[in-house]
Amino acid sequence: MSSHLAAATSSKGSIDMSFLQNYYSSTPKYALSEDSKAKVESIVQTINRRDAGQTEFLDAVHEVLDTILPVFAKDPKYIEAFERLVEPERQIAFRVPWVDDSGKVQVNRGFRVQMSSALGPYKGGLRFHPTVNISVIKFLAFEQIFKNSLTTLMMGAGKGGSDFDPKGKSDNEVMRFCQSFMTELYRYLGPDTDVPAGDINVGAREIGYMFGQYKRLTSTFNGVLTGKDLNWGGSLIRPEATGYGCVYFAQNYLNYRNDSLKGKRCVVSGSGNVAQYTVEKLLDLGAIPITVSDSDGFILEENGFSREDIAYIMDLKNNKRGRLAEYLDYSKTAKFFKGEKPWNVKADLAFPSATQGEIDGEDAAKLVANGVNGVFEGANMPSTPEAIIAYKKANLMYGPAKAANAGGVTVSGLEMAQNSQRQQWTREVVDEKLSCIMKEIFDMSLNAAKEYGLGDDVQSGANIAGFLKVADAMIQQGAV
């Protein structure tokens, strides 16, 4: 393995240079010249200076940089492309004032980071959560570059959101916030410029309110947002896409190792959109999903969830906006583990589908000790660098987020295509296209890994394949 991640970002919030020495000591297929090494060191020093303390963003850059060193060693022209790629094309931050139900003015902060337009219009979700800051949005936008590149569709990369929390807010409060948010953001959007989608806490309700305000402000009806309702331009399979796609990716990896999902016990974290449809597709393919979680703890169904069980959870979370502990009122066989994560449960496969950084080195060690031999990321970058080290030492199958959870943005891209044609494809057509693209993503990642002497290190292969496509486009389009 050439990908070490031996030094994550330090407590001071900077990238440690030791990963370069680790590359030298790994006897790679392609050696990094002294000149190339000096250029990479200079880039890292610049990133550390410009983005000091932006831990989430620096972790994301470090994870990619550590895996694409073979590309720099084989062809140093790509070093300059990477230097440009880590600097967003545009960073937008703005005030979002809105009036709550008591008549008081509240103020939140909004963001949109337009990271790369080399392959098409900026594309990526909007996240509403108290943890949102510029570092989180830049990390998500940077990850989106590689994810969108891997989909084979014509999409650039962006990400946005706000530190607004919709939980506990009335529909009218959410509407007023979304209208204020879009009143500022709309001037930077367009179907051929930037097409946001949903992310954490941004679902059909929020997309609807934002689309309505965009239409009101611009007097246009176009595909400027994806994740729309089916009645006015949405795509079938879009809500299911990230979860379904992650399971399809896992299926391809298992097939490659002459195995299948049938009968595999699977621990799933989260209970939102991604987790719900991960569980649903696991059931479709004969697997046995046994956990879901929220911020209060996790539910264990020792014999696996049924379709009726997951339907109850969907109603509880999507409609009643309840907490998972309430599931115990429905099920007499479930156990609820308050304040715990599901990584200490014996299982075959893990699907982290909640949020970034949810599996650290200690959690990964628990997964390995409990027999898990594959981790497939439905959330964005849920594994810390220390966790990834543990996966690789144990030779686990590892589906990194930028590959395994690309199903969501894939169907967003398919929604854009349907909007351009003023058509709506059938569920079967969209699902088949999603399944085929997830197989292409796995194959591209695996082939890139093998080409650079990395065996079946799909994580490194995904980074390399995604990077090469966007870097070649950047070089061909000049210094812009």
Side-chain angles (χ1 to χ4, degrees):
M1 298 286 182
S2 72
S3 178
H4 302 277
L5 292 168
T9 52
S10 73
S11 59
K12 294 181 179 179
S14 61
I15 299 173
D16 192 295
M17 292 286 189
S18 60
F19 72 94
L20 282 166
Q21 190 56 46
N22 294 331
Y23 182 75
Y24 271 111
S25 64
S26 68
T27 60
K29 181 178 179 179
Y30 298 105
L32 201 65
S33 70
E34 286 300 319
D35 182 56
S36 293
K37 181 185 175 185
K39 288 179 180 177
V40 173
E41 287 178 343
S42 176
I43 291 170
V44 173
Q45 288 168 357
T46 299
I47 295 169
N48 283 340
R49 175 177 54 81
R50 285 177 172 171
D51 305 305
Q54 295 183 12
T55 305
E56 295 87 356
F57 175 63
L58 293 171
D59 274 348
V61 171
H62 175 257
E63 185 266 337
V64 171
L65 186 55
D66 189 57
T67 56
I68 64 172
L69 289 176
V71 177
F72 298 161
K74 183 180 180 183
D75 191 341
K77 75 180 181 186
Y78 289 111
I79 299 175
E80 183 272 335
F82 183 82
E83 182 177 19
R84 278 194 281 154
L85 197 61
V86 296
E87 188 63 24
E89 291 180 10
R90 189 174 293 105
Q91 300 181 64
I92 304 154
F94 50 93
R95 180 177 63 192
V96 188
W98 57 280
V99 180
D100 66 21
D101 286 344
S102 67
K104 182 180 178 182
V105 176
Q106 303 287 345
V107 178
N108 286 97
R109 183 173 290 174
F111 302 96
R112 186 68 177 173
V113 171
Q114 297 174 330
M115 199 79 196
S116 171
S117 59
L119 299 179
Y122 306 109
K123 187 81 191 78
L126 297 169
R127 173 176 296 190
F128 294 166
H129 196 272
T131 60
V132 165
N133 57 39
I134 191 61
S135 175
V136 168
I137 296 300
K138 283 174 65 178
F139 131 61
L140 292 168
F142 186 72
E143 283 278 288
Q144 203 77 39
I145 297 171
F146 306 90
K147 186 187 305 184
N148 292 4
S149 174
L150 287 167
T151 67
T152 73
L153 303 174
M154 294 177 61
M155 295 185 293
K159 206 76 178 185
S162 172
D163 57 2
F164 172 77
D165 188 356
K167 291 180 181 177
K169 306 292 193 303
S170 70
D171 285 348
N172 280 332
E173 287 176 322
V174 172
M175 180 183 70
R176 287 192 289 269
F177 170 82
C178 288
Q179 289 175 340
S180 182
F181 182 85
M182 184 54 74
T183 298
E184 179 61 32
L185 186 61
Y186 86 95
R187 67 199 71 206
Y188 305 104
L189 307 181
D192 298 313
T193 304
D194 188 347
V195 184
D199 193 76
I200 292 174
N201 288 334
V202 178
R205 176 181 61 170
E206 290 77 17
I207 292 292
Y209 291 149
M210 287 188 284
F211 184 85
Q213 185 71 352
Y214 178 87
K215 182 164 62 78
R216 181 187 193 185
L217 291 166
T218 64
S219 298
T220 58
F221 191 110
N222 57 44
V224 74
L225 288 166
T226 56
K228 299 184 292 299
D229 187 87
L230 292 174
N231 289 325
W232 38 276
S235 174
L236 289 157
I237 306 289
R238 178 60 191 91
E240 299 94 331
T242 305
Y244 279 18
C246 189
V247 178
Y248 286 143
F249 189 92
Q251 180 184 42
N252 281 293
Y253 209 143
L254 284 157
N255 289 346
Y256 165 72
R257 291 204 174 178
N258 299 313
D259 202 347
S260 77
L261 282 165
K262 192 170 180 61
K264 296 291 189 296
R265 290 172 62 80
C266 303
V267 287
V268 180
S269 68
S271 53
N273 177 277
V274 178
Q276 292 169 15
Y277 290 111
T278 294
V279 170
E280 185 172 280
K281 185 54 69 174
L282 286 170
L283 288 169
D284 287 347
L285 298 177
I288 306 170
I290 57 176
T291 69
V292 289
S293 69
D294 62 15
S295 56
D296 293 337
F298 78 91
I299 289 285
L300 171 65
E301 281 280 13
E302 192 64 47
N303 295 320
F305 292 103
S306 68
R307 294 186 184 279
E308 292 74 19
D309 296 339
I310 193 60
Y312 180 88
I313 290 170
M314 286 180 175
D315 182 58
L316 176 66
K317 301 302 287 188
N318 301 344
N319 301 321
K320 298 176 181 175
R321 302 189 186 275
R323 308 305 296 164
L324 269 185
E326 298 171 43
Y327 179 82
L328 297 183
D329 297 332
Y330 158 84
S331 172
K332 304 306 178 188
T333 56
K335 296 178 182 177
F336 181 69
F337 295 82
K338 185 176 176 62
E340 295 186 33
K341 296 184 282 187
W343 313 129
N344 206 25
V345 175
K346 289 189 178 299
D348 301 303
L349 304 172
F351 292 82
S353 306
T355 191
Q356 73 263 17
E358 61 177 295
I359 302 181
D360 59 22
E362 185 177 327
D363 294 324
K366 291 177 183 177
L367 285 171
V368 173
N370 279 291
V372 168
N373 58 30
V375 177
F376 302 96
E377 297 181 337
N380 286 305
M381 208 172 174
S383 305
T384 66
E386 292 77 16
I388 297 171
I389 293 169
Y391 303 157
K392 294 195 171 184
K393 283 183 178 177
N395 196 31
L396 268 58
M397 292 176 287
Y398 173 43
K402 60 175 64 68
N405 86 354
V409 74
T410 293
V411 176
S412 281
L414 298 177
E415 183 177 326
M416 291 167 66
Q418 292 169 78
N419 290 168
S420 295
Q421 297 171 15
R422 297 291 195 269
Q423 290 184 349
Q424 190 174 73
W425 301 335
T426 66
R427 180 182 181 87
E428 291 73 22
V429 166
V430 178
D431 197 23
E432 177 63 22
K433 288 179 182 291
L434 170 62
S435 178
C436 289
I437 289 174
M438 294 311 297
K439 185 179 188 307
E440 285 188 65
I441 291 172
F442 176 78
D443 289 344
M444 282 191 295
S445 302
L446 181 64
N447 292 337
K450 289 183 174 180
E451 180 183 343
Y452 282 86
L454 304 173
D456 62 357
D457 181 356
V458 169
Q459 178 218 7
S460 296
N463 285 339
I464 289 170
F467 171 71
L468 283 173
K469 183 179 176 183
V470 72
D472 283 337
M474 291 172 68
I475 291 167
Q476 291 159 7
Q477 292 170 20
V480 295

